């Protein structure tokens, strides 16, 4: 059955270009195009589209305000399409916080080759978003008050333990939920979230403001310290290397893995190699299979491994693949991961590994 799409943009030219890309694509059906949020509301009620493309800057009501109302009244997969997805990463991160599945920049209309590549990217993201419809509705129903922060105090020393977290579609909010619950004194945390260049710095700053850990985008060469979380930049793989007693962040410009750069598998593989049983792996919501094989390597090296469950995942892809490989020790709801992680760290810090 064809994926029905509603285009919402105040530019007639952009509506025409996006509409044509969708209308002529096999497996897609364009149900309408709206110039503002009020027209979009009427079309959503009339056609109940599988997925919506949504501009951020619009007259009468901006895209973020419309998105917030949509997710309360009729949760629907949304892909943000705006110039702000390049220059205003904060606006895009806010859209993801409100429930948008993904984002693309507005198409550059001057070069035909760019349009062909853009069309392929747009259609792929629309397909992923439409497939996440059930997850969007589930997560929207769970969205509400922030989970309670864990009051326990940890006192991990040096690099005796490391935590590695990977995520993709829906992962910005999943990572935020986990980190906001974690206490001070956590072991050093390394993180890979599928994001483009320019977005990871804003994401790290956003996390740093909202949680008790010190969160930063990796520049390369950082010593991994307790109480810190290190996020892979949007155009480099993050690896962990050992230097004497220290663990160090290293960046690699090698080819994409599983079509991603940064890739979770690259990070997990390096952690398995240098930390073994002194590591914990966490795999959160995301489309595809990135991280599954790397988590298996961590599991086989003695690390404890956690995965987000289907009910709380926007897209139960990456965690499902890890479960299929028997790489996961515990499958948990998102809001239970932090507590289980802390309890595990307590056990291993006392020498009572289970």
């Amino acid at each position: 059955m064809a994926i029905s799409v509603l285009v919402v943009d105040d530019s007639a030219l952009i509506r025409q270009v996006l509409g044509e890309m969708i209308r002529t694509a096999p497996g897609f059906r364009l149900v309408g195009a709206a110039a503002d949020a009020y027209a979009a509301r009427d079309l959503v009620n009339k056609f109940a589209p599988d997925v919506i493309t949504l501009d951020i800057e619009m007259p009468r009501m901006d895209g973020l305000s419309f998105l917030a109302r949509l997710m309360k009244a009729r949760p629907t997969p949304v892909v943000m399409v705006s110039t702000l997805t390049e220059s205003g990463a904060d606006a895009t991160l806010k859209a993801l916080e409100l429930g948008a599945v993904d984002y693309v920049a507005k198409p550059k209309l001057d070069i035909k080759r760019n349009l062909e590549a853009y069309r392929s990217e747009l259609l792929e993201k629309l397909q992923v978003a439409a497939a996440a419809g059930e997850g969007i509705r589930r997560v929207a129903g769970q969205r509400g008050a922030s989970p309670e922060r864990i009051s326990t105090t940890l006192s991990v020393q040096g690099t005796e333990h490391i935590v590695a977290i990977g995520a993709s579609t829906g992962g910005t909010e999943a990572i935020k939920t986990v980190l906001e619950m974690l206490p001070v004194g956590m072991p050093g945390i390394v993180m890979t979230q599928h994001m483009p260049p320019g977005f990871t710095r804003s994401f790290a700053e956003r996390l740093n403001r909202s949680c008790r850990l010190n969160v930063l985008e990796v520049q390369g060469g950082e010593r991994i310290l307790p109480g810190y979380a290190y996020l892979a930049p949007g155009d480099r793989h993050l690896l962990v290397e050992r230097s004497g007693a220290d663990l160090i962040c290293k960046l690699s410009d090698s080819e994409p893995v599983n079509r991603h750069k940064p890739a979770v598998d690259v990070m997990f593989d390096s952690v398995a190699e240098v930390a073994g049983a002194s590591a914990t792996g966490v795999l959160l919501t995301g489309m595809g299979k990135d991280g599954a094989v790397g988590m298996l390597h961590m599991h086989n090296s003695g690390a404890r491994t956690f995965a987000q469950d289907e009910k709380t995942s926007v897209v139960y892809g990456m965690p499902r693949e890890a479960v299929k490989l028997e790489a996961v020790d515990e499958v948990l709801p998102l809001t239970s991961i932090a507590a289980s992680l802390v309890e595990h760290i307590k056990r291993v810090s006392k020498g009572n590994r289970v």
Side-chain angles (χ1 to χ4, degrees):
M1 189 172 179
I3 296 170
S4 60
V5 185
L6 171 65
V7 172
V8 184
D9 200 291
D10 66 333
S11 165
L13 179 58
I14 296 296
R15 292 198 303 274
Q16 179 183 354
V17 170
L18 294 181
E20 188 67 10
M21 288 179 176
I22 295 163
R23 187 183 63 78
T24 58
F28 288 86
R29 179 169 61 94
L30 180 69
V31 296
D36 61 41
Y38 294 96
R41 177 195 59 193
D42 294 340
L43 290 172
V44 168
N45 290 332
K46 181 177 180 180
F47 294 109
D50 297 319
V51 62
I52 298 170
T53 73
L54 180 61
D55 188 15
I56 291 179
E57 291 184 307
M58 294 189 299
R60 302 175 69 192
M61 182 191 297
D62 66 84
L64 294 179
S65 298
F66 174 71
L67 178 63
R69 295 187 182 191
L70 177 73
M71 288 303 167
K72 288 180 180 178
R74 192 168 195 154
T76 304
V78 172
V79 175
M80 304 305 295
V81 184
S82 173
T83 54
L84 293 181
T85 58
E86 288 184 337
S87 61
D90 281 341
T92 305
L93 290 169
K94 179 62 177 176
L96 295 174
E97 181 180 312
L98 290 170
V101 178
D102 212 333
Y103 49 90
V104 290
K106 278 195 175 181
K108 294 180 173 63
L109 306 176
D110 52 344
I111 303 175
K112 184 177 180 181
R113 184 179 67 256
N114 286 348
L115 282 178
E116 291 172 353
Y118 180 89
R119 180 177 185 269
S120 176
E121 179 187 11
L122 173 68
L123 295 176
E124 181 177 8
K125 292 199 172 189
L126 290 176
Q127 190 170 33
V128 169
E134 184 180 343
I136 289 293
R137 289 183 282 276
R138 280 199 312 267
V139 173
Q142 299 158 11
R143 191 173 284 113
S146 297
E148 187 175 342
R149 290 184 167 189
I150 297 169
S151 58
T152 300
T153 299
L154 294 177
S155 56
V156 175
Q157 302 298 315
T159 57
E160 64 186 47
H161 205 88
I162 184 172
V163 178
I165 301 175
S168 185
T169 313
T172 55
E173 286 309 294
I175 288 175
K176 183 169 176 278
T177 296
V178 173
L179 261 60
E180 283 183 343
M181 296 178 70
L182 292 175
V184 295
M186 282 292 296
I189 298 172
V190 290
M191 306 180 294
T192 290
Q193 161 73 40
H194 296 158
M195 298 184 92
F199 283 70
T200 42
R201 178 170 297 181
S202 293
F203 182 41
E205 291 171 353
R206 194 178 186 90
L207 291 172
N208 191 56
R209 290 192 297 267
S210 68
C211 71
R212 290 172 286 181
L213 305 175
N214 299 292
V215 185
L216 51 89
E217 181 191 50
V218 173
Q219 304 298 310
E222 292 90 348
R223 181 184 171 213
I224 298 173
L225 299 171
Y228 281 76
Y230 305 85
L231 179 68
D235 57 352
R236 295 289 187 275
H237 296 299
L238 170 59
L239 301 91
V240 176
E241 291 190 343
R242 186 169 291 281
S243 177
D246 294 330
L247 294 178
I248 305 293
C249 291
K250 180 185 176 182
L251 296 179
S252 168
D253 195 22
S254 59
E255 291 299 308
V257 174
N258 300 318
R259 299 175 61 200
H260 295 290
K261 186 177 179 182
V264 180
D265 268 336
V266 173
M267 180 182 71
F268 279 177
D269 284 346
S270 70
V271 172
E273 183 175 345
V274 303
S278 297
T280 304
V282 180
L283 194 56
L284 303 175
T285 174
M287 179 65 71
K289 63 179 182 179
D290 187 31
V293 172
M295 178 158 274
L296 179 62
H297 293 160
M298 288 188 67
H299 183 269
N300 289 343
S301 71
R304 188 76 175 171
T305 53
F306 300 89
Q308 186 176 352
D309 69 359
E310 183 173 9
K311 185 177 180 180
T312 61
S313 293
V314 173
V315 180
Y316 190 57
M318 290 156 52
R320 185 199 302 274
E321 293 302 316
V323 170
K324 284 182 181 178
L325 293 178
E326 298 184 351
V328 181
D329 291 310
E330 295 186 60
V331 180
L332 298 166
L334 178 62
T335 53
S336 299
I337 290 174
S340 293
L341 180 57
V342 168
E343 288 305 310
H344 173 64
I345 299 301
K346 284 182 181 178
R347 289 196 299 269
V348 297
S349 65
K350 293 178 181 178
N352 299 324
R353 179 172 173 78
V354 178

